[in-house]
Every structure is written in C-alpha cells, then in structure tokens.
Amino acid sequence: MNPAFDPGPRTLVVRCPDWSLTALGVAPGEPALVLAAGRVAAASEAARAAGVVRGQRRREAQGRCPEVAVLERDEAAEARRFEPVVAALEDVTPWVEVSRPGACAFGVRGPLRLLGGEAALLDRTAEAVGAALDAAVGPAHPGCRLGVADGRFAADLAARVAGTGIAGSLVVPVGGSPAFLAPQPVGVLGRPDLADVLVRLGLTTLGAFAALSATDVVGRFGAEGQAAHRLAAGLDGTPPQVRRPPPDLAVAVDLDPPVDRIDRVAFAARALAEQFHDDLRGRGLACTRVVVEAETEHGERLARCWRDEGVLGTSALVDRVRWQLEGWLHGPPAVRPTAGLVRLALLPDEVVPATGHQAGFWGGATAADERAARALARVVGLLGEGSVRLPEWRGGRDPVDQLVLVPLTGGVGEVGRVDAPPSDAPPWPGVLPPPSPAAVHADPVPAELLDDRGRPVRVDGRGVLSAAPVALRVDGRGAHVAAWAGPWPVDERWWDPRRHRRRVRLQVVADDGVARLLVLEAGCWRVAATYD
Amino acid sequence: MFDTGEMVRSPGHAFTLPAGLLAEPEPFDDDAIEEPAPAPRSRPRSLAEAARRARTGTPAGERTLPVSPALADLLPDGLRRGSTVGVVGPGGRSLALALIATATATGSWAAVVGDPDLGLAAAAEAGVALARLAVVDLSGPTASRQWGAVVAALVGGLDLVLVAPRRQVRAVDARRLAARARERGSVLIRIGDASWPDRPDLELALADAAWEGPEDGYGRLRCRRAEVVATGRGRNARERRALLLLPDARGVPSLP
C-alpha cells in the first residue's frame, strides 16, 4: 500500500474518563473539579451538568456549582494509579503505548490472533482494566471506555464517544474511519487555534476540512496543518517518512547510589531528557514515541513506551519520565521493583524529521516568544520548578490581590498566553484608583502613625481617624507626614467568619517625598506598598 | 554530570558567573550565526564579499527598542539594544516600567530578576504587556549561587532584563553580563545601582519629584511631577533633563 494513504494500524484505545478526578478518589456521582494553575482542568459529570467547564476560573465554577469539591491537580497520583492499569494490560499484549496517565493504546493485530476476535479482545481488555481499577482506586470508579478503529486518532475518538457504561466501547469497522470522522467537529483535533480559523472559514466538521486539497492546506497552515489534515481524513497522523532511529540516539544515566525515591532521580531525569532532545535535534529529528527503561539493583528491567500525537519536546519528555518513575517507584507493591534503580535510559522508538515551528500564522508563538520560552525553560532548569512565574489577573481591591503570579509550567505554548486585565471585567467597589504603587511589599513592614501629640492614630468603627497623622515611623526611621488621603475602609467577606477581612487604607506622603500605602488591620499599621 | 562544579566559587561574598556560559554557544541557539569576521581594511576579493561587508548586522530600526513618547527627550534614539541602563534612587521601579512598556507591547519579552516587590498593577497601568513579563524568584536555597547563570540565560533570550541584585556584583560578572547583552542585543536594566561596580551606559534618576493630589485627608494620589535626569557614557555623556508625570492619573508615564 502506498504509505501516503495508509490509514494506520488498527488500534485499540483505552481511556479512563476524568482520570485526574478518579485518581484523587472522586466517586462518579460527586460534583468535583480539579484545578491546575488556578483554572479548572477537569470536572466530574455532576459538576459539568451544573455548568462547570474546563478552563473556567475557580470563582466562576464555584458560582455555577456552589457545592463542588475543589481539588488541586496531583499528577503524581495520576501516574502512580495508572501504572497498575497498564501493567494489567500486559497480559493482553506487550505493546502498550501510554500517551498520558488515563489513556493508552495498542495495536490489535497481535492479540487478535491470540484471542480470536475483536469482541473477545474487548471483553478481555475491559476485564483486565476493570480489575486493575478496582484494585487501584477502589470500587467507585467510572470504568473505562474502549475504542477500536483504523488509526490511533480515530480509535481515540471512538473511545471518547463510546457509551457511558462501565466499559463502554465503540468499534469502527475496517475501512470505516473516514466515514466515522467526517461528522465530528474540528475541535476534536486538539488544536484550538487551527480549529478557530477553520470554523471562521465555515469548515466545522472534519469531513469538510478533509475535503480540502492537501496541497492548499500545507501551503496555508504548514506542517502542523498537514498533520491535522491527515488525521481528519482518517489517515495516519504521523507523516509517512517515519524512520527507525539509529541506535546511538539512546541515552542513559547510571545512578549511583541506587535510588528508590522520585525526588532523587527527578533531576537526573530532566538532564537526561534534555540530552536526549538535544541529540535528536542535532540530527534534525524529533521523537514521537519513546521507551523509558530502568534497571534495578536486582537486575529487573522495567520498560514502558510513551507516545504523543505531536512531537515530544523537552518538557513533555520530562513529564513522561517523571510520570513513569512515579508509577514504578511509588505505585502499588505489585508493580513496584524490589530494589532501587541503578540505570535509567531513554530510547527513541519512532522519530520523524523535525519540521521546526512555523512562526505564528495565527498569532501564536513568534520567534521572540520561542527564544524567551527557551531562556525561561533554562532558568527553570537552573532554579527548579516554580521559580519563574507569570502574572495573571485575578481582580481585587488592593494592589496585592489584583494580579497574582502563577508558576510557568508548560512549554512554549504556555508562554504566549495573554493575561492582561480584561476590558469587560466587572468593577470592584472600593478598589484604589490608579496610579497603582510600583512596589507592593510581599511582607508588609510594620509602621507607626502618630498624631501631633505623639499618640498612635486609630480608626473608629465608622472609619474615621482619631486625629490627623503628623509623623510616620517605619523601620525605626521617622518622617513627617506632608500630605495624606483616606481613610478608605474595606469590609470583605463579612458573611464568612473564617475569611472575613476588615481593614483601612491610607495614602501617606512623607516629607522626604516618598508616598506610601498604609493598611491598618487588626490594630496594626503596615506599609503595604510604596509608590516608588 | 549534574553538579555545578564549573562555577567559580569564591568564599564569602559575591555572585559568580560560570565562565562556560559565555565561551560556548548554547545548544538551543540556532539564531547565533557563526560567521568569521573579515579581516579589517583588506580589499574585498569578490563582489559577493563586498556586498556581505556592506551589510551591517541588523537594520537601523532593529538596533533600538521603542520607548514611550514621554521618554523621547531623554532617549532620542530609543532604547539601544545591547546597552546597560541603570535606574537609581527613589522612583527607580517607575522608571524601569516606563522604559520597558512600549517594547513589551510591541513583542519584546521582559524578565524581572530578584525584585519580588515590583507592582504588577502599576506595570499594567504603565502599559507593560503582562503576557510578556516573567518574574524570576531568587529566594530558593541555591538561587544566590546561580544568580550569574540565571541572568546570563535571560540576557541570551529576552530583550529586556531587569535586575535587582541583593548583594554586591563582582566586576568580572558585571563585565561579562554587559558583554553578553551587547552580543545578544538585549538591554540590561539595573534597578538600584549601588550594587554594581561600574557605571552603566545610561543612568536615569529622578532629580526633583513631588506627588500631587492628597491634602489633609482629602483627595487621593493623582500624579507625580518629576524631573528625570539622564546621564551616561559615550553618546549619552551629555546630560539630558525632562519634566514628566511619572505616573500620571491613569498610571501612565506621560508629559505634563
């Protein structure tokens, strides 16, 4: 068969719906959501029914569904709990590829010969996964969804739309992938920017997109558009020139002393992933499937295959290595090795020529964004996770609340996001008007504010100062008050006894020309910010 | 392979910069074009070579970063790429924000190193594109040792790097960072100049500043009327002064 028209091998995809919730022990009927970087990353069915959608802010989600349980995302738990599921599938076939915790796939050709038919294979898979899930997260789990189709993308989609039973499954007949994909919306391609452009062009379904000429698509949308177009047409998404990688691209690190804790091996894993990525890049290659291999002191060999629809960048690789180590080292005893790891290796299993990135056709990453993303990733490598942070608008009455810093987590894509104050943001009554202070103190400095007789200035219950402030003392240094404005009281969340905050704000200009924002809370004045 | 032993340790004080960072190109740097410099003042041997020599690295428009019109009197050519700028004394952060605002809004990235107090709301009001502003936290246990490497990495990748060192910077590090900024076309902005051993190419300070707005309990802070003085070396040697509202009542640096 001409490889350009290869629909891809017949594949079975196993998906555990809402895995980030299931892994945290949320029962299917409970309203719950998982937050990542301040936004909803996943919501249970009950929460979704109440109007909680992915990408919402916490406040908005809680507004829609007040009784929702808010959980922080725990990727380590997701990886740890999924490893036994993959291990259980090894009874069915040795060729399981994991794409992320909660989803994995394998080619059906081999196990089909063994088991006789697709129906038997589905039964056997559902049984193995069900038993593993029972053991890993307890009896209350939403089960798994299975999809079988020609090509991995179609199989994944089949599993996504498969029935809602404990082991719902959907089998797309041989040769039926294009017909199955045609009515699906373009959003399922997982490329929101591309989908946005396509919808505006009036191409709302995969069938309509697939009907475009491939040449036109490449001309307009580049390599990324080409891959998406192939997927939409029911062809294998990976371009036909997939190569077996030369063997010397595998990288390994010997761990001495042997490690049995993830935090001790995580740093080595990052450096290893970087080396792996650089080696491939040096040859103009990119990896789409990688085998993570480990060897223990007792000579056990552990290996697991990970793949991604796109190309595995450094941060994606690091994530996968970390997830895998989490699964092995902190998983249930059945999958845990009997001794510490002495060697960790990454083997490229499938490589494609690196097509590079096309610079921002749809307003995405520009060359400057990519350069910045690489430099910032390097700094994260030097200083550790969470050391580089980006501002995000939250809203609030005080300068310290309005914008918060969220850690930079993802790769290049994450770094071009926009987080300016929205122009249609609702007003905050009692907010201090601009100009805002150029220095907001993370640790407000205690201050003394005195009146003309040297007594501390107080504020009564109605928000009136006991006397005009005359002198200010900060850090042991005194200054005369040249001018002042306020006080502006704020009474926040008076309905919630635990989070109730009452405070009074005052702008004070000292005679040395420095303007400060003083806040009185719990009887104590502090310098919250300086108009530097 | 994972230790940081390459860093030159000196007992007691000061940040150190790994020497290797400047010597070898980074693995990711595909934009650094290695072209042997032609020998000076020799006759070009071919027309192609003559044409190559005539091409000066970057077009004039790209050798500077744009600045707000309010700063036009102080920086008539804009913010020159590869230069170091010091903002000194009170009002330093406002000056720094005024300097980077227009450049970030037109696509440049900026990073703030070691100044967790920088007011983000003030930055947004001044016109800084927050989507292209990164804040690097140096409070971690190994952070002070890594300071030089962190700043060098940022200078290599971002157009604008704002640095507020907590300790005295060694002369050799200051020189290396300045050289790296020059090589990469980044602008190194030093907040609070006391920690640096040398003078920057351009130094900005408030000469005379007064807040307007509040009286005894009435009104609110509206604006700061300030005279900004720019001094420096080389082409900036002539002192320039400008009267600015830094910031005005909307938080924007503007002309009175």
Side-chain angles (χ1 to χ4, degrees):
Chain A
M1 190 190 273
N2 180 345
F5 299 103
D6 183 5
R10 199 154 173 80
T11 307
L12 190 155
V13 168
V14 180
R15 287 177 71 101
C16 295
D18 302 329
W19 181 250
S20 42
L21 290 153
T22 312
L24 291 173
V26 176
E30 272 176 58
L33 61 84
V34 170
L35 281 185
R39 291 183 182 259
V40 176
S44 70
E45 216 168 313
R48 285 200 300 266
V52 177
V53 293
R54 194 188 290 189
Q56 251 171 356
R57 285 165 202 281
R58 173 200 188 123
R59 195 189 296 264
E60 210 179 326
Q62 281 176 321
R64 297 264 176 97
C65 182
E67 67 277 13
V68 71
V70 178
L71 307 164
E72 273 298 324
R73 180 153 198 192
D74 185 354
E75 288 189 339
E78 288 170 31
R80 204 160 55 226
R81 298 229 155 118
F82 197 60
E83 177 59 26
V85 176
V86 183
L89 280 174
E90 286 188 330
D91 290 346
V92 182
T93 172
W95 307 111
V96 186
E97 305 169 354
V98 191
S99 40
R100 59 167 192 283
C104 58
F106 54 87
V108 303
R109 208 172 61 133
L112 212 56
R113 281 199 204 136
L114 195 71
L115 293 167
E118 280 183 357
L121 175 63
L122 285 172
D123 286 348
R124 182 73 196 279
T125 309
E127 197 184 305
V129 174
L133 281 175
D134 286 342
V137 293
H141 61 76
C144 65
R145 310 278 181 272
L146 310 177
V148 182
D150 299 341
R152 196 189 148 87
F153 175 67
D156 189 56
L157 203 57
R160 256 199 268 183
V161 301
T164 52
I166 191 79
S169 63
L170 181 67
V171 177
V172 178
V174 175
S177 283
F180 165 70
L181 292 172
Q184 306 289 345
V186 287
V188 299
L189 287 167
R191 292 175 168 88
D193 300 320
L194 176 63
D196 184 48
V197 176
L198 291 177
V199 168
R200 280 189 277 145
L201 291 170
L203 304 167
T204 55
T205 63
L206 293 185
F209 179 42
L212 297 180
S213 120
T215 334
D216 291 348
V217 171
V218 179
R220 184 76 191 263
F221 299 113
E224 190 189 340
Q226 183 192 22
H229 185 253
R230 288 181 58 85
L231 290 178
L235 302 173
D236 198 357
T238 31
Q241 63 273 42
V242 171
R243 301 191 215 158
R244 281 275 139 193
D248 58 339
L249 285 174
V251 294
V253 56
D254 290 315
L255 306 164
D256 188 24
V259 288
D260 51 1
R261 287 206 358 241
I262 181 124
D263 46 345
R264 291 184 44 208
V265 72
F267 193 68
R270 172 171 286 276
L272 193 66
E274 271 167 13
Q275 191 196 340
F276 178 78
H277 195 254
D278 289 350
D279 286 357
L280 282 170
R281 225 181 124 93
R283 292 179 177 236
L285 296 173
C287 181
T288 53
R289 196 165 69 181
V290 64
V291 176
V292 182
E293 209 178 67
E295 209 172 302
T296 71
E297 228 177 338
H298 292 175
E300 295 158 290
R301 264 172 185 277
L302 311 164
R304 185 73 70 217
C305 179
W306 288 81
R307 90 167 295 160
D308 191 64
E309 270 317 328
V311 162
L312 288 161
T314 319
S315 62
L317 262 173
V318 172
D319 278 347
R320 278 158 182 79
V321 174
R322 216 179 46 216
W323 291 339
Q324 188 55 58
L325 291 170
E326 186 72 43
W328 281 331
L329 296 177
H330 298 174
V335 297
R336 207 181 302 158
T338 57
L341 305 183
V342 292
R343 188 180 154 86
L344 180 67
L346 293 177
L347 295 80
D349 200 37
E350 197 179 273
V351 294
V352 294
T355 50
H357 289 284
Q358 191 150 18
F361 170 73
W362 38 73
T366 63
D369 290 344
E370 304 225 331
R371 228 157 46 96
R374 285 201 293 268
L376 294 176
R378 205 178 150 83
V379 173
V380 172
L382 286 168
L383 294 179
E385 304 278 340
S387 54
V388 175
R389 295 179 299 164
L390 307 175
E392 192 175 275
W393 181 259
R394 288 283 161 86
R397 291 181 178 82
D398 282 344
V400 68
D401 302 331
Q402 283 162 1
L403 285 143
V404 296
L405 289 168
V406 294
L408 168 73
T409 46
V412 181
E414 182 97 0
V415 176
R417 83 224 155 90
V418 179
D419 270 306
S423 53
D424 58 341
W428 283 87
V431 68
L432 289 174
S436 294
V440 178
H441 306 301
D443 299 312
V445 191
E448 277 179 85
L449 196 61
L450 308 171
D451 65 8
D452 54 350
R453 294 162 65 180
R455 294 171 308 188
V457 174
R458 309 204 164 279
V459 178
D460 69 13
R462 290 161 63 200
V464 179
L465 293 183
S466 61
V470 167
L472 175 70
R473 179 168 279 277
V474 184
D475 267 345
R477 276 195 299 273
H480 286 286
V481 172
W484 55 282
W488 299 288
V490 188
D491 200 355
E492 279 184 328
R493 298 198 189 87
W494 43 264
W495 60 89
D496 183 345
R498 276 172 306 158
R499 296 166 68 206
H500 182 194
R501 273 188 86 188
R502 249 188 107 188
R503 56 195 193 280
V504 174
R505 287 121 4 128
L506 193 71
Q507 288 174 336
V508 174
V509 184
D511 57 357
D512 55 2
V514 179
R516 295 184 176 89
L517 180 68
L518 298 191
V519 172
L520 174 70
E521 193 169 6
C524 179
W525 287 103
R526 286 173 195 277
V527 181
T530 306
Y531 292 83
D532 185 27
Chain B
M1 83 191 266
F2 307 114
D3 73 13
T4 44
E6 67 194 64
M7 306 216 321
V8 192
R9 292 274 195 78
S10 63
H13 74 295
F15 301 109
T16 54
L17 187 66
L21 250 175
L22 294 166
E24 59 175 26
E26 290 166 36
F28 284 143
D29 269 345
D30 43 10
D31 48 0
I33 303 156
E34 297 286 332
E35 221 174 313
R41 290 175 202 283
S42 69
R43 284 174 65 94
R45 265 172 291 170
S46 67
L47 194 62
E49 196 184 324
R52 197 168 57 237
R53 275 198 214 174
R55 209 170 53 213
T56 55
T58 36
E62 291 172 20
R63 269 179 282 165
T64 58
L65 294 170
V67 291
S68 139
L71 300 181
D73 286 349
L74 293 166
L75 299 138
D77 308 329
L79 203 49
R80 206 157 47 78
R81 280 180 177 276
S83 61
T84 49
V85 181
V87 286
V88 197
R93 290 191 182 90
S94 294
L95 279 169
L97 293 177
L99 277 174
I100 67 169
T102 308
T104 59
T106 53
S108 291
W109 272 80
V112 184
V113 188
D115 188 11
D117 285 359
L118 186 76
L120 297 169
E125 286 166 6
V128 176
L130 293 185
R132 279 185 288 278
L133 180 72
V135 179
V136 179
D137 181 16
L138 281 181
S139 60
T142 63
S144 56
R145 263 194 297 131
Q146 308 264 40
W147 182 88
V150 167
V151 179
L154 292 169
V155 167
L158 278 69
D159 283 346
L160 297 151
V161 183
L162 281 69
V163 195
R166 297 210 186 129
R167 296 189 241 160
Q168 195 65 31
V169 180
R170 298 195 318 169
V172 57
D173 287 345
R175 240 186 351 260
R176 277 183 182 161
L177 287 175
R180 192 167 165 84
R182 226 174 2 258
E183 178 194 314
R184 298 309 178 92
S186 303
V187 180
L188 190 65
I189 299 176
R190 312 161 166 188
I191 300 177
D193 222 30
S195 326
W196 295 84
D198 58 345
R199 287 195 67 200
D201 297 329
L202 178 70
E203 197 167 85
L204 295 177
L206 299 193
D208 187 22
W211 281 96
E212 295 179 5
E215 284 164 43
D216 291 341
Y218 298 100
R220 59 175 173 87
L221 285 180
R222 292 202 161 271
C223 62
R224 173 168 52 188
R225 205 171 281 274
E227 190 177 25
V228 182
V229 186
T231 53
R233 304 187 303 193
R235 68 178 76 181
N236 301 314
R238 196 170 64 83
E239 182 184 287
R240 292 194 177 89
R241 282 173 180 262
L243 211 55
L244 290 186
L245 294 182
L246 193 82
D248 69 5
R250 291 165 300 140
V252 186
S254 61
L255 294 168

